[in-house]
Amino acid sequence: MLLDSVCLSQRPKLRFNSKIAEILASPRQSVPMESFSQNPSLWQPNRQASQQTDLLVRSILGLFSFVSVATTAGIVLTLFFETVDFFRVIPIWRFFSETRWTPLFASAQFGIIVLISATVLTTSIAIAVALPLGLLSAICLSEYASPKVRQILKPALEVLAGVPTVVYGYFALLFVTPLLQKIIPGLQGFNALSAGMVLGIAITPLIASLSEDAIYAVPRSLRDGSYALGATKRETIVSVVLPAALSGIVASVILAVSRAIGETMIVAIAAGQNATLGLNPLVSTMTMTAYIVQVSLGDTPAGSIAYQTLFAVGTTLFVMTLGLNVFSFWFVRRFREKYD
Amino acid sequence: MQSPTAVLSARSVSVYYGSSLAVRQVSLDIPRGEIVAFIGPSGCGKSTILRCFNRMNDLVASARVEGQITYNDRDLYGPKVDAVAIRSRIGMVFQRPNPFPKSIYENIAFGARINGYRGNMDELVEGSLRRAALWDEVKDKLRDSGLALSGGQQQRLCIARAVAIQPEVILMDEPCSALDPISTLRIEELIKELSGDYTIVIVTHNMQQASRVSDRTAFFNAEATDAGSKVGYLVEYDRTERIFHEPAQEATRDYVTGRFG
Ligand SMILES: Nc1ncnc2c1ncn2[C@@H]1O[C@H](COP(=O)(O)OP(=O)(O)OP(=O)(O)O)[C@@H](O)[C@H]1O
Ligand SMILES: [Mg+2]
């Protein structure tokens, strides 16, 4: 047994050495064509060199993945320590129980609920716009559109996804708001409604394209099974295709929600900077991201309380999107259908 | 034995996919209450003809059906005929089991519900599962996903699902080809049990299966055309004993005895 393994490990080694000798002796190019089948020296993989390249490639790849992991860790740690510092000065119960957000005032209050309410408001409006729009375009694209319509609709959606958010912000402020003001007289110049609606348009392509992928992935055999029972196209889509694609659709919506929560430019430009508690979409309001922009642009000295609120708000934002992503991960794992 | 009335009857049916002819000039009658097997080499158009009977070919954009098919003496492709309604009278079971990603119960209730069933759903589900010889295996887990069953159980679920809408005809396209021999035998028993109440057309590559379950057998073959493509046609259609023991055509004898070129 032992002898066997020794012999086995010996033999290739010997051959390996003689191979190297051969390689050194005869460069590849000089092998004549006739000897293709007989001459073993035509096949001389340079194992050592390829092992070294392998190692090099692996360390480079490892380095890059380490950089991204380290960045994430760095961000989380910075957020964490600065937030802890903040809560040393301002007790956490004040953060969660106060109802005004005035960190820059003399009588400072730190009710994060104010900023959260604004974020929830704009995000809800955005989803109310993007969910029907995105899902319907996904269904239309995958089930109803003729190739010609598809050829127009799909690039149009992609363009929508490529528009810079600052452009969306000015579109909301200078076009949508005046338009809405004609219908709703009491609408302020900065308001959550217009910002939320445009935010919804901005995230529609995300829902549309991810949902379309999910719908497209539903196997044809399932649709056939439904049609063969005498189902109409609508019944098949509603009762078979959409439920089968549900996990993908939900994942796309959650991704869109976390995009909407984190979206900064549109709300900073069109929703205003007025930190008020409440869910009135007609007035100016300040989301978490808009607050971060406001403070970052001002000249707040590092270490001051106002400076540290940035991190407390940032952490809140981070925890919210993280929670959504974890939920989405769990949901997809739990409800994904496996087809073979 | 006198010839029973035909439920489905095809007259000179040819099917094209795009511009290429896939099957030409098929004429046959499917008698009520009998089991008809379609056999023949791969690509000879068995599935294509089968799918004409419940108008599943309508769903393939490139497919075009010529000739005439009548269902209970009415033109199946007539202008007033609703393909959706036809499919609830002529059910289909596919080669690969394709239960919906829903509970076992819902898999069966779905078809009944869309077809406007007004009776007791629990009874229908139980009855259909019993019919498909699946009840005892799943009665305690009706709320579990249909996808959690084994392949053979899934296929019986698909048969139960087809039976639940109480069709007149059930078309089966190689229903056992993805199954092990024991599941296959169970499904064959099931098919025999269903005959009488239902007219069944079954496509199979398994000669023994055709001879075991069917009353009549249609043998299809394909021949090369001048253009180099293959076109299928019906070689012979007769009572199963005749097809297997004294076929009229040489090609049929070669095929059923396994000497096929
Ligand atoms: N959707 C389709 N589009 C184009 N051609 C098709 C389509 N379906 C089938 N065909 C062609 O029609 C011919 C008959 O196919 P069909 O599936 O009916 O054969 P079959 O007898 O069922 O074969 P198998 O035993 O392998 O299932 C084949 O040449 C096939 O390439
Ligand atoms: Mg087939």
Side-chain angles (χ1 to χ4, degrees), chain A residues 133-152:
Chain A
L133 223 54
L135 202 54
L136 289 180
S137 19
I139 293 171
C140 174
L141 273 175
S142 58
E143 304 285 325
Y144 288 101
S146 63
K148 208 162 185 181
V149 173
R150 210 185 139 86
Q151 242 170 33
I152 302 167

Side-chain angles (χ1 to χ4, degrees), chain A residues 21-292:
Chain A
E22 271 175 27
I23 292 163
L24 292 175
S26 66
R28 251 176 210 211
Q29 303 91 312
S30 69
V31 178
M33 272 312 277
E34 305 88 76
S35 62
F36 188 83
S37 52
Q38 299 92 351
N39 192 346
S41 68
L42 194 63
W43 303 91
Q44 332 163 310
N46 190 339
R47 303 270 185 235
Q48 211 151 32
S50 69
Q51 258 170 19
Q52 278 160 6
T53 332
D54 209 37
L55 193 70
L56 186 73
V57 168
R58 253 193 294 177
S59 17
I60 292 175
L61 294 180
L63 192 71
F64 280 121
S65 44
F66 175 75
V67 166
S68 62
V69 171
T71 314
T72 312
I75 292 173
V76 172
L77 288 180
T78 320
L79 275 178
F80 179 75
F81 285 118
E82 296 282 353
T83 307
V84 167
D85 279 354
F86 172 78
F87 284 127
R88 282 221 181 88
V89 183
I90 310 296
I92 195 159
W93 60 264
R94 281 187 61 192
F95 193 65
F96 286 114
S97 67
E98 286 179 346
T99 52
R100 281 153 58 82
W101 180 262
T102 52
L104 305 176
F105 288 11
S107 63
Q109 285 207 28
F110 301 91
I112 187 70
I113 185 75
V114 175
L115 301 185
I116 290 182
S117 76
T119 295
V120 166
L121 180 61
T122 51
T123 303
S124 313
I125 296 171
I127 290 300
V129 170
L131 184 62
L133 223 54
L135 202 54
L136 289 180
S137 19
I139 293 171
C140 174
L141 273 175
S142 58
E143 304 285 325
Y144 288 101
S146 63
K148 208 162 185 181
V149 173
R150 210 185 139 86
Q151 242 170 33
I152 302 167
L153 217 58
K154 195 123 198 192
L157 272 175
E158 269 148 29
V159 168
L160 216 55
V163 175
T165 51
V166 62
V167 175
Y168 275 121
Y170 280 101
F171 173 69
L173 184 66
L174 304 177
F175 181 78
V176 178
T177 300
L179 203 66
L180 287 174
Q181 274 169 333
K182 293 213 179 85
I183 310 165
I184 311 167
L187 194 66
Q188 294 187 358
F190 293 105
N191 62 79
L193 183 61
S194 140
M197 282 169 62
V198 173
L199 182 55
I201 293 170
I203 59 175
T204 294
L206 196 66
I207 295 188
S209 92
L210 291 180
S211 299
E212 199 216 337
D213 289 348
I215 291 173
Y216 186 79
V218 174
R220 190 178 165 90
S221 64
L222 275 189
R223 298 159 209 254
D224 281 353
S226 168
Y227 287 127
L229 290 172
T232 61
K233 184 160 191 170
R234 186 185 53 79
E235 287 161 343
T236 301
I237 292 171
V238 172
S239 307
V240 175
V241 177
L242 291 184
L246 186 68
S247 71
I249 292 172
V250 169
S252 83
V253 173
I254 290 174
L255 203 66
V257 170
S258 53
R259 214 7 255 282
I261 290 176
E263 172 49 49
T264 310
M265 242 21 219
I266 300 174
V267 288
I269 293 173
Q273 315 262 295
N274 189 1
T276 47
L277 179 61
L279 297 173
N280 181 357
L282 305 180
V283 299
S284 168
T285 180
M286 185 160 71
T287 64
M288 291 190 275
T289 49
Y291 172 75
I292 293 176

Side-chain angles (χ1 to χ4, degrees), chain A residues 218 220-233 235-241 243-245 335-340, chain B residues 51 54 56 59-60 83-85 87-88 90-92 94 96-102 107 110-111 114-115 145 147 161-162 165:
Chain A
V218 174
R220 190 178 165 90
S221 64
L222 275 189
R223 298 159 209 254
D224 281 353
S226 168
Y227 287 127
L229 290 172
T232 61
K233 184 160 191 170
E235 287 161 343
T236 301
I237 292 171
V238 172
S239 307
V240 175
V241 177
F335 289 99
R336 186 180 42 207
E337 306 298 347
K338 292 194 187 66
Y339 308 105
D340 40 20
Chain B
R51 291 163 62 90
N54 66 342
M56 283 299 275
L59 304 171
V60 180
V84 170
R87 292 189 202 112
S88 64
I90 306 177
M92 187 167 219
F94 297 82
R96 296 190 70 91
N98 57 349
F100 303 126
K102 301 170 182 285
N107 258 283
F110 170 68
I114 57 172
N115 285 296
S145 169
L147 292 171
R161 178 174 86 179
I165 57 172

